[in-house]
Amino acid sequence: MKCSIIISVYKDTDSLDLILDSLSKQTVVPDEIIISEDGNSAEMAEYVANVKDKYNNLDITHLFQEDIGWRKNIALNRAIIASKYEYLIFIDGDCVPFDDFIENHVKQASKKIVLAGKRVELGEQITKEIRSKKLTVSKLTNNYWLYAIKLIKDKTRHLEDILHISYKSFLAPFVKKEVNYIIGCNWSAFKEDILTINGFDETYYLPSVGEDVDLGWRFRGLGIELKSCRYNANLVHLYHKKRFDSSQGIINNAILKKNFDANKFFCDNGIIKKI
């Protein structure tokens, strides 16, 4: 089975380089990488043009669109259509995978199942060390017990999700991993199952809810279940200031409730347009 990983980005080439460095050294290297840019910055275009030689074991495609506000869902639908392979993994451009991230997604893949993972939200100081190359994500995540005190002092959020137990570990079956929703920065599914719900709902024009929570209940409504890959397919979220506020969540939740009440599992404004 071949997979495409779709990375949602906006201008931040430094974080993207950390991600591509990780993907180039994975235990299972993805067959295709789609950089899904919600914008069209010259810096990103120049970076991608130059980086293909640096990471020559990666098949990199760069998609972009006019920068006229938050349109992440449109960009992601375009990436789904453009993807060449049957299994799709989604991450955000500020999240760096553990060394066996791809392996833990593809080796647990099943049709009619969405794998939903979590993320560790690093603090400001450790993020600075990673960006300045004083510390690598690989070193941090492979020896996280040595950095426990430092991570706590740096106000790391969701620190429990740095615990890593591979899908093939004898401990894996004994770890309780319930999942009720998708986090947009770490999930995967077969492309045909994503098409079953018509992809992302482009009615959402603000961040939060629309690119993750909305997906989960629509998948389940059409018989595609969520399965946790927590503690298996891990990644770290690099620190940055929050980019959205609670008012945006209120607007999105109103859209979500309207569709939920109408049992609108196949969205009207997705990959196929019914509006």
Side-chain angles (χ1 to χ4, degrees):
M1 184 183 73
K2 292 189 174 183
C3 73
S4 302
I5 182 165
I6 296 173
I7 310 170
S8 180
V9 303
Y10 182 72
K11 292 187 176 180
D12 186 356
T13 58
D14 291 339
S15 296
L16 179 57
D17 194 65
L18 292 170
I19 294 169
L20 294 179
D21 182 65
S22 171
L23 293 177
S24 71
K25 301 170 182 174
Q26 290 279 306
T27 56
V28 172
V29 176
D31 301 286
E32 176 186 37
I33 294 169
I34 299 179
I35 298 170
S36 174
E37 183 184 5
D38 184 11
N40 58 347
S41 74
E43 181 184 6
M44 183 64 70
E46 181 181 1
Y47 168 78
V48 175
N50 293 329
V51 83
K52 290 183 179 182
D53 288 333
K54 181 180 179 181
Y55 302 116
N56 56 19
N57 67 326
L58 301 178
D59 179 8
I60 300 173
T61 298
H62 176 210
L63 301 180
F64 53 91
Q65 60 192 21
E66 191 177 1
D67 191 351
I68 54 173
W70 190 92
R71 299 192 303 153
K72 179 180 178 181
N73 284 5
I74 295 174
L76 288 171
N77 277 343
R78 293 178 66 237
I80 292 168
I81 294 168
S83 61
K84 294 186 288 190
Y85 300 116
E86 61 186 310
Y87 197 72
L88 306 185
I89 302 170
F90 295 81
I91 69 172
D92 283 348
D94 53 10
C95 295
V96 184
F98 282 36
D99 293 347
D100 59 352
F101 177 80
I102 299 295
E103 179 182 355
N104 275 274
H105 269 285
V106 298
K107 296 299 184 181
Q108 298 183 90
S110 296
K111 291 186 177 180
K112 300 297 181 183
I113 292 291
V114 175
L115 290 175
K118 300 283 189 177
R119 82 287 192 207
V120 183
E121 294 190 21
L122 298 179
E124 187 171 5
Q125 186 56 44
I126 289 181
T127 296
K128 284 181 179 178
E129 291 185 24
I130 290 171
R131 291 191 185 280
S132 66
K133 308 296 173 64
K134 292 180 181 178
L135 175 66
T136 66
V137 170
S138 182
K139 184 176 180 180
L140 171 66
T141 55
N142 284 313
N143 306 279
Y144 53 80
W145 59 91
L146 299 177
Y147 295 91
I149 294 175
K150 190 171 185 177
L151 287 163
I152 292 168
K153 287 183 176 179
D154 202 31
K155 299 180 180 178
T156 302
R157 299 183 65 218
H158 310 296
L159 181 56
E160 67 278 9
D161 286 303
I162 205 167
L163 174 66
H164 181 255
I165 301 172
S166 172
Y167 76 97
K168 55 191 175 185
S169 168
F170 74 94
L171 294 173
F174 303 101
V175 179
K176 187 177 181 180
K177 302 182 300 178
E178 294 179 353
V179 61
N180 297 313
Y181 54 88
I182 291 170
I183 295 176
C185 66
N186 185 0
W187 69 279
S188 65
F190 276 90
K191 184 174 181 176
E192 66 181 73
D193 289 334
I194 299 170
L195 296 177
T196 298
I197 65 167
N198 201 21
F200 292 82
D201 189 342
E202 296 175 15
T203 306
Y204 294 94
Y205 60 91
L206 294 170
S208 84
V209 178
E211 75 268 31
D212 43 32
V213 176
D214 172 68
L215 296 174
W217 75 272
R218 290 199 288 123
F219 274 124
R220 282 175 160 161
L222 292 178
I224 300 164
E225 289 302 315
L226 307 189
K227 177 182 176 181
S228 176
C229 58
R230 187 181 188 185
Y231 306 128
N232 304 148
N234 293 9
L235 45 71
V236 298
H237 176 276
L238 301 172
Y239 173 84
H240 60 75
K241 292 182 179 179
K242 293 295 182 183
R243 299 180 180 134
F244 59 89
D245 57 42
S246 58
S247 65
Q248 295 168 336
I250 292 170
I251 293 170
N252 282 348
N253 280 319
I255 299 171
L256 180 67
K257 186 178 187 306
K258 181 180 178 181
N259 292 333
F260 185 85
D261 290 344
N263 288 328
K264 186 76 71 173
F265 305 123
F266 186 97
C267 64
D268 290 338
N269 189 22
I271 292 172
I272 298 170
K273 309 297 182 191
K274 298 178 67 178
I275 61 173

